Amino acid sequence: MTINWYPGHIAKAERELKSKLSLVDVVIEIIDARIPLSSKYLDVEKLIGAKPRLIVLNKSDLADMEQSRKWQDFLQNNANIKVLLTSANSNKDLSNIISAAIELGKDKIAALTAKGLLPRAIRAMIIGMPNVGKSSIINKLIGKKKVKTGAKAGITRQQQWVRINPRIELLDTPGIIPMKLENQDAAYKLAMVNSISESSYDNVEAAKKLTELLQEKYPNLTAAHYKLPSETPITLENIARSRNLLLLGGETDINRCASLILSDFRHGRIGRITLDTLNQ
């Protein structure tokens, strides 16, 4: 099965985003630390032009920290862009986003004041794939639930300015996703982290591909979580039997097992896992 998902409201959001770029000084790109390559918008440079950009590897508390550090160094060294790690469940690191955005926007404000204009707040735009945590980051930055959030992909539907403090305000935007998910490996990884609509892929197929990645990258961690005997392959069938997910007659309930392993991975129950890995 192939995945091809591009809802109309996201297509519209991308067009609107391009029209709004002239209003902002800084772009903050949010990507999922568990799939830094697969959740990155590959044409972002064409989209934003010369706008100063900050990259935020969000949900790093769910990702392999060693891999997150490698990705941070790789992105900073290859793109010469500031890269920050943030957690899905902590506010400690969000002040770093504010400081970095202010630093990136100070030249624009200096240019305005040099023209005799009054200084104003730096205007920043947050972009990223659906469900990478854009609205949650904004909510934590402003300290209240002003921007609608949810676990479903693409829940943010409208653009709106939100004031962070007197020095910076943000334009929240819906997530962007390429029109054609030609790279099916990346598409399935987006499905694994719940970044695309559940109606666009088969749960069992996504879970099978996830178990293959876990077998390749984190076999010991996964085996320990599911209490699989030593040397037992990590498959839906074996996990279902280990968790006693059986149908009448003793057959394994593969559908329930697929939902279980996807949920376990998404919530970090298996452990800290990164599916896009660097071998630096």
Side-chain angles (χ1 to χ4, degrees), residues 213-231:
L213 287 169
L214 294 175
Q215 175 73 65
E216 174 191 348
K217 300 175 185 294
Y218 298 94
N220 296 334
L221 192 66
T222 308
H225 176 73
Y226 291 110
K227 296 180 173 56
L228 296 175
S230 178
E231 306 300 324

Side-chain angles (χ1 to χ4, degrees), residues 185-208:
D185 287 339
Y188 269 102
K189 287 175 182 175
L190 288 167
M192 292 168 198
V193 300
N194 204 28
S195 275
I196 58 179
S197 172
E198 294 175 356
S199 63
S200 67
Y201 63 89
D202 179 73
N203 247 19
V204 171
E205 188 66 23
K208 282 182 179 179

Side-chain angles (χ1 to χ4, degrees), residues 98-259:
I98 297 175
S99 299
I102 290 173
E103 180 67 21
L104 286 172
K106 68 179 185 180
D107 288 347
K108 177 60 178 289
I109 302 305
L112 292 176
T113 55
K115 294 179 181 179
L117 301 173
L118 291 174
R120 58 163 173 78
I122 292 167
R123 296 168 183 164
M125 173 183 285
I126 285 185
I127 66 172
M129 294 284 189
N131 209 31
V132 293
K134 300 182 301 301
S135 296
S136 294
I137 285 177
I138 293 174
N139 288 336
K140 286 188 283 189
L141 283 169
I142 64 178
K144 57 185 177 180
K145 296 271 182 143
K146 187 171 182 180
V147 183
K148 187 177 182 182
T149 64
K152 297 297 183 181
I155 197 167
T156 306
R157 298 298 180 94
Q158 296 179 340
Q159 293 172 328
Q160 52 191 314
W161 289 102
V162 289
R163 177 60 62 97
I164 300 304
N165 65 32
R167 298 188 64 187
I168 187 167
E169 58 187 15
L170 295 177
L171 178 64
D172 180 49
T173 60
I176 309 164
I177 202 166
M179 184 175 293
K180 291 183 180 179
L181 292 172
E182 295 174 344
N183 184 334
Q184 286 296 298
D185 287 339
Y188 269 102
K189 287 175 182 175
L190 288 167
M192 292 168 198
V193 300
N194 204 28
S195 275
I196 58 179
S197 172
E198 294 175 356
S199 63
S200 67
Y201 63 89
D202 179 73
N203 247 19
V204 171
E205 188 66 23
K208 282 182 179 179
K209 292 181 181 297
L210 175 57
T211 57
E212 291 170 3
L213 287 169
L214 294 175
Q215 175 73 65
E216 174 191 348
K217 300 175 185 294
Y218 298 94
N220 296 334
L221 192 66
T222 308
H225 176 73
Y226 291 110
K227 296 180 173 56
L228 296 175
S230 178
E231 306 300 324
T232 300
I234 296 167
T235 64
L236 289 181
E237 180 82 16
N238 289 335
I239 292 172
R241 292 200 177 279
S242 176
R243 286 300 172 93
N244 202 34
L245 300 176
L246 304 175
L247 299 168
L248 291 176
E251 292 184 18
T252 52
D253 191 338
I254 295 301
N255 287 308
R256 281 181 63 197
C257 186
S259 296

Side-chain angles (χ1 to χ4, degrees), residues 18-90:
K18 291 178 182 177
S19 70
K20 299 279 187 179
L21 276 169
S22 61
L23 303 176
V24 303
D25 311 310
V26 174
V27 173
I28 302 171
E29 181 186 9
I30 313 294
I31 59 181
D32 192 315
R34 297 167 296 177
I35 51 169
L37 182 61
S38 300
S39 65
K40 193 170 185 347
Y41 189 70
L42 297 181
D43 291 327
V44 66
E45 290 83 4
K46 292 181 182 178
L47 189 68
I48 70 172
K51 298 283 182 183
R53 174 165 52 114
L54 169 69
I55 294 177
V56 174
L57 280 167
N58 194 34
K59 305 185 181 181
S60 62
D61 53 319
L62 301 175
D64 182 332
M65 183 52 70
E66 181 181 354
Q67 282 295 320
S68 292
R69 294 297 184 194
K70 287 182 178 180
W71 275 107
Q72 184 180 34
D73 292 342
F74 175 82
L75 292 169
Q76 287 184 155
N77 294 336
N78 285 270
N80 195 26
I81 293 172
K82 179 77 172 177
V83 180
L84 298 176
L85 303 180
T86 60
S87 164
N89 299 308
S90 173

